[in-house]
């Protein structure tokens, strides 16, 4: 049996009882480590689970999937994923491969950022399409996510922005020379995401547009959702570019039209309650 | 401390280790029982948690919230919610009330239907706005959810349809006579939801429209997601009106544009693989 086990978002104890029992039963346990991170490391998980974990990077899952699935038809193998196995990232490829090999699989769900963002008080059924904001480079500054956020807001919907993660990236030089030397991991912060959005707003204005999203649009910055030191901050997009949220992972929500109850919840987290009230009231039902 | 604890979707063991520890520490533990159901009953939960549960119906949470929160500033109280506390239903009102009373609160997240539907292989970031399909009555047949599904599909997005639940409903007669006699609980099935959608399609055609969603639109029916006897079925909307999915809770997804990997996953669950291939290929990227 192949178990796909969601670990939730905080620490070792966010695994479900069912998930923990499965992990402890398995002969081999892989930890997917390229799309997200828990606030605790591999060692803390190993100690609590009482079993050794094999780190699975993207290369391994994509290129050595058969070794990962080896003998999973006669013994139990677990593939652990931060959040839910089918949350922000889907591991369909692994499932399809298992099915083709005749290996049964079982999904043990958990919270993912896709539903845990509800903790800020915005209602999940008022969210439109989720977008990913990628790190800009000197030569590549895509703006397509901005159009999606605008579209959601025009429809009154909130937008969850998942922020870029760069793990095991090679510099262009190392890549070209075939050297497997990796850059330090990078995680986009709410500040960086807000700055990129503000830059796009400026670009659009230079092109004579009047963007739906402005410096004053109410946003929510979230950091380490589900962990003990979780931080939520609500305020204008401008405020999000300077708010202090600490270590990764971060997410950003751009609000659409707000119900009074959503507004009241967001007030609990406002970085500046006086300006919040003022800006937010321009956009409630 | 007020703990809002998500129970996940399957059975007693879908609680997280952190959630279980909190529950066992609490002086009073309430089980929210009006927006969703676990496939196991209250007794099974009580046995596994090793603590007595107080059933909290809508009336209690809305009208007696203060008794629920009584002394939560000096002792620990838990409020258990099937799924995630901020998933398909939000319990913001309870949080706001606690904050006003100076009671600290903590959310222990879990899987909700909002992210667990990813198990069918459709990617969560390709979903648009979630809709609720309500039971039609002889005199009230709303169609607004259909417009939202159409809009999502026009934008290439999938739509998760949450299906109606009627718990502790009074008949009109009993309501008027002030008798607290309740009808047996009712849970909308995928069949019923599909039939209502098919009826709307007919209505629209009679009005000269050409609906975006037809009998042949590929849909996914899901039952008891996360439970041992979970069932997933993919096929046309017409097929969804007769597919056998058993006991509640059910959900229905109307697909938008599908990525080949999503399509390959849905094929695993197709009720009729030959027609599926045929219909689905009209709508892939």
């Amino acid at each position: 049996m192949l178990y796909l086990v969601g670990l939730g978002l905080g620490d070792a104890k966010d695994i479900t009882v069912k998930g923990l029992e499965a992990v402890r039963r398995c002969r081999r346990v892989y930890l997917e480590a390229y799309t997200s991170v828990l606030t605790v490391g591999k060692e803390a998980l190993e100690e609590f689970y009482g079993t050794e974990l094999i780190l699975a990077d993207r290369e391994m899952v994509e290129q050595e999937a058969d070794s990962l699935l080896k003998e999973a038809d006669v013994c139990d193998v677990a593939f652990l994923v931060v959040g839910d196995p089918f949350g922000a990232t889907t591991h369909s490829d692994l499932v399809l491969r298992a099915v083709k090999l005749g290996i049964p699989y079982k999904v043990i769900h958990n919270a993912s950022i896709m539903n845990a963002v509800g903790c800020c008080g915005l209602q999940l059924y008022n969210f439109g399409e989720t977008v990913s904001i990628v790190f800009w480079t000197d030569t590549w500054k895509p703006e397509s996510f901005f159009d999606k956020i605008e579209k959601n807001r025009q429809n009154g919907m909130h937008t969850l922005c998942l922020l870029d993660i760069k793990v095991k990236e090679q510099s262009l030089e190392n890549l070209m020379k075939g050297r497997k030397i990796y850059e330090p991991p990078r995680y986009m912060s709410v500040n960086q995401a807000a700055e990129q959005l503000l830059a796009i707003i400026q670009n659009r204005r230079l092109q004579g547009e009047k963007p739906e999203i402005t410096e004053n649009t109410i946003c929510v910055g979230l950091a380490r959702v589900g962990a003990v030191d979780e931080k939520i901050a609500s305020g204008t997009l401008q405020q999000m570019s300077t708010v202090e949220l600490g270590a990764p992972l971060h997410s950003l929500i751009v609000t659409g039209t707000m119900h009074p109850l959503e507004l009241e919840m967001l007030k609990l987290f406002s970085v500046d309650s006086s300006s919040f009230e003022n800006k937010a009231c321009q956009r409630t039902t």
Side-chain angles (χ1 to χ4, degrees), chain A:
Chain A
M1 177 76 82
L2 169 69
Y3 289 97
L4 292 112
V5 183
L7 300 186
L9 293 165
D11 58 35
K13 289 186 176 177
D14 279 317
I15 195 169
T16 65
V17 174
K18 192 180 279 173
L20 184 59
E21 287 180 355
V23 165
R24 290 188 173 159
R25 213 169 31 232
C26 284
R27 187 168 310 170
R28 295 195 311 279
V29 183
Y30 296 90
L31 174 63
E32 191 266 335
Y34 57 92
T35 57
S36 195
V37 284
L38 273 185
T39 47
V40 294
K42 174 171 169 277
E43 292 68 31
L45 296 184
E46 286 179 326
E47 196 188 326
F48 183 68
Y49 300 161
T51 188
E52 204 179 302
L53 301 182
I54 307 162
L55 270 187
D57 57 25
R58 189 185 297 262
E59 223 171 303
M60 180 175 186
V61 178
E62 285 172 4
Q63 290 161 29
E64 300 166 47
D66 288 337
S67 78
L68 194 150
L69 291 170
K70 206 177 149 202
E71 293 171 3
D73 50 340
V74 291
C75 70
D76 289 334
V77 172
F79 184 70
L80 311 185
V81 183
V82 173
D84 183 79
F86 291 89
T89 311
T90 154
H91 290 284
S92 304
D93 41 352
L94 192 61
V95 167
L96 287 168
R97 197 179 285 256
V99 171
K100 270 175 203 147
L101 292 170
I103 296 165
Y105 74 95
K106 199 169 161 45
V107 180
I108 301 178
H109 289 288
N110 211 319
S112 74
I113 190 66
M114 302 291 281
N115 72 338
V117 289
C119 63
C120 71
L122 294 175
Q123 308 192 324
L124 293 186
Y125 51 78
N126 291 339
F127 278 75
E129 182 180 0
T130 298
V131 307
S132 293
I133 301 188
V134 294
F135 277 118
W136 278 355
T137 66
D138 290 341
T139 53
W140 191 60
K141 300 190 193 311
E143 298 193 356
S144 54
F145 50 83
F146 189 83
D147 301 316
K148 290 182 179 175
I149 300 171
E150 280 205 316
K151 199 167 188 181
N152 281 339
R153 190 167 158 97
Q154 275 156 5
N155 290 326
M157 299 282 114
H158 315 310
T159 307
L160 169 61
C161 307
L162 302 174
L163 308 187
D164 205 359
I165 290 177
K166 293 279 182 210
V167 179
K168 268 199 137 179
E169 294 282 314
Q170 288 165 283
S171 68
L172 194 59
E173 195 193 339
N174 285 328
L175 189 69
M176 283 167 64
K177 292 191 177 162
R179 291 190 295 221
K180 292 208 167 175
I181 300 170
Y182 302 103
E183 302 300 301
R186 289 189 303 151
Y187 306 97
M188 187 185 286
S189 67
V190 161
N191 301 154
Q192 290 170 307
E195 274 164 22
Q196 289 189 189
L197 289 173
L198 291 169
I200 296 173
I201 292 169
Q202 288 311 321
N203 288 346
R204 300 283 166 113
R205 285 192 183 129
L206 288 174
Q207 290 158 31
E209 288 176 37
K210 208 175 157 224
E212 177 74 25
I213 297 151
T214 71
E215 295 80 359
N216 291 327
T217 299
I218 294 293
C219 296
V220 187
L222 304 107
R224 301 172 304 286
V225 170
V228 198
D229 59 346
E230 167 182 295
K231 265 198 185 162
I232 305 176
S234 63
T236 64
L237 179 59
Q238 188 70 56
Q239 286 169 332
M240 288 303 117
S241 69
T242 57
V243 73
E244 283 298 333
L245 293 176
L249 295 176
H250 290 192
S251 305
L252 178 71
I253 300 168
V254 180
T255 62
T257 308
M258 279 184 278
H259 182 275
L261 199 62
E262 292 182 291
L263 190 60
E264 214 179 326
M265 278 293 290
L266 282 199
K267 261 194 254 169
L268 298 180
F269 310 111
S270 64
V271 288
D272 173 4
S273 53
S274 60
S275 75
F276 181 84
E277 195 84 42
N278 194 7
K279 309 286 184 202
C281 287
Q282 299 161 13
R283 187 90 194 190
T284 48
T285 44

